[in-house]
Amino acid sequence: MANFQGRIWRAVLPMIRYVARARRSKAGAQRSKAAMILDQEQAMTTPPVYSQFLPCLYDQAQPVGDLGRGTHYSVFRSIEWRELDGDFRDSGRFHDFAVVWDEDHDTRIVSFVERLHTHGLLWPIVFIGERKGVVTILLWSDVDPTVERGDWYEVVKELAENADECDVWTADFGRFHRDPANREGRTDPTGIINDSQELVVTYLQTIDVLWQLGEKKRAVYKPISLPSDFMEVAGQ
């Protein structure tokens, strides 16, 4: 009887081992598939790092829709110590702006924006894009940067002509006016996208509706103010 049971066990044991290995393999494949899906989702929801100075809040890595020549955009954030009108501040403010890409997604534009930032020239800019060797910069409406810095346009043009790791770029300037319905018609996109002005303005207004570009009034660095009797209390 014992010999018979041993023969049965020797016959069944390989099958049991096979089923166990198959289950482990299936479970491992399922975990790998779940991990791959998670990685893909994280890649889609986590913006890439284009710059160590300017964090990317939102990124479209490839063309979306049928506007212009592969138009898509990304939103970046800087900290500015000037108001939109150029007045200096006692504390920094968040300033969001959008980079409008065309089909080639030329990331060299980010290096140019970094140079604008390090030269203290970024505060009035809300949209910027490069197309066919022309850098188009849209300033906030009603802002004249030369009031606070007379050489603003000249320095921006010089930086574009001597941008790092790229051909010589020509700088062109337009205006953006927050007006979702564009009733006043004060936005001048100046060729930032190769399409009809009506469609381009609608596209820019939509981005601004989503992200509220420019000054973030509810997100500023406020200086710390200590009460007048703080030192007296602290010394007790």
Side-chain angles (χ1 to χ4, degrees):
M1 183 67 178
N3 185 40
F4 177 77
Q5 290 178 341
R7 293 175 60 189
I8 294 294
W9 178 248
R10 285 193 298 273
V12 171
L13 182 59
M15 298 177 60
I16 295 175
R17 289 174 175 171
Y18 174 80
V19 171
R21 285 196 300 268
R23 287 180 175 177
R24 286 197 298 269
S25 177
K26 182 178 181 181
Q30 289 176 339
R31 284 194 296 269
S32 298
K33 183 177 181 180
M36 182 177 64
I37 293 173
L38 180 59
D39 290 341
Q40 291 175 343
E41 290 178 346
Q42 289 177 340
M44 294 173 62
T45 58
T46 303
V49 178
Y50 288 100
S51 167
Q52 298 297 321
F53 307 113
L54 306 168
C56 181
L57 306 182
Y58 172 76
D59 180 63
Q60 292 180 345
Q62 57 190 5
V64 177
D66 188 27
L67 181 69
R69 296 179 61 86
T71 303
H72 52 299
Y73 75 95
S74 301
V75 177
F76 293 82
R77 170 165 290 174
S78 69
I79 297 177
E80 302 297 326
W81 274 264
R82 285 182 183 266
E83 303 284 3
L84 280 171
D85 60 9
D87 289 342
F88 278 107
R89 298 172 51 92
D90 294 330
S91 58
R93 66 174 176 85
F94 287 147
H95 179 86
D96 294 354
F97 62 95
V99 170
V100 178
W101 313 96
D102 63 5
E103 56 191 346
D104 63 359
H105 199 88
D106 191 346
T107 58
R108 294 177 299 177
I109 190 67
V110 179
S111 297
F112 171 65
V113 177
E114 286 182 336
R115 299 188 69 190
L116 293 178
H117 184 51
T118 56
H119 281 74
L121 303 169
L122 194 55
W123 88 84
I125 298 173
V126 286
F127 287 97
I128 184 167
E130 182 274 330
R131 185 172 66 85
K132 294 188 178 298
V134 178
V135 177
T136 302
I137 298 170
L138 303 188
L139 284 68
W140 191 258
S141 62
D142 302 325
V143 172
D144 181 2
T146 62
V147 173
E148 297 297 329
R149 180 161 179 173
D151 63 348
W152 191 91
Y153 287 103
E154 286 72 20
V155 176
V156 172
K157 290 178 181 178
E158 182 179 353
L159 292 176
E161 293 171 358
N162 297 279
D164 294 335
E165 301 178 2
C166 71
D167 298 328
V168 175
W169 284 343
T170 301
D172 203 357
F173 304 92
R175 296 281 174 171
F176 176 79
H177 176 66
R178 179 171 290 160
D179 178 15
N182 197 34
R183 294 186 180 92
E184 300 179 38
R186 294 170 56 190
T187 293
D188 175 16
T190 318
I192 194 170
I193 298 172
N194 183 30
D195 215 313
S196 72
Q197 179 162 319
E198 181 180 1
L199 292 177
V200 173
V201 170
T202 300
Y203 182 76
L204 300 177
Q205 294 288 350
T206 301
I207 295 174
D208 183 61
V209 166
L210 294 173
W211 292 98
Q212 294 290 286
L213 303 178
E215 182 176 359
K216 296 293 182 184
K217 295 202 178 280
R218 294 185 300 277
V220 298
Y221 289 122
K222 297 181 179 180
I224 298 175
S225 299
L226 299 178
S228 57
D229 60 346
F230 174 79
M231 295 305 296
E232 298 177 4
V233 174
Q236 294 178 358

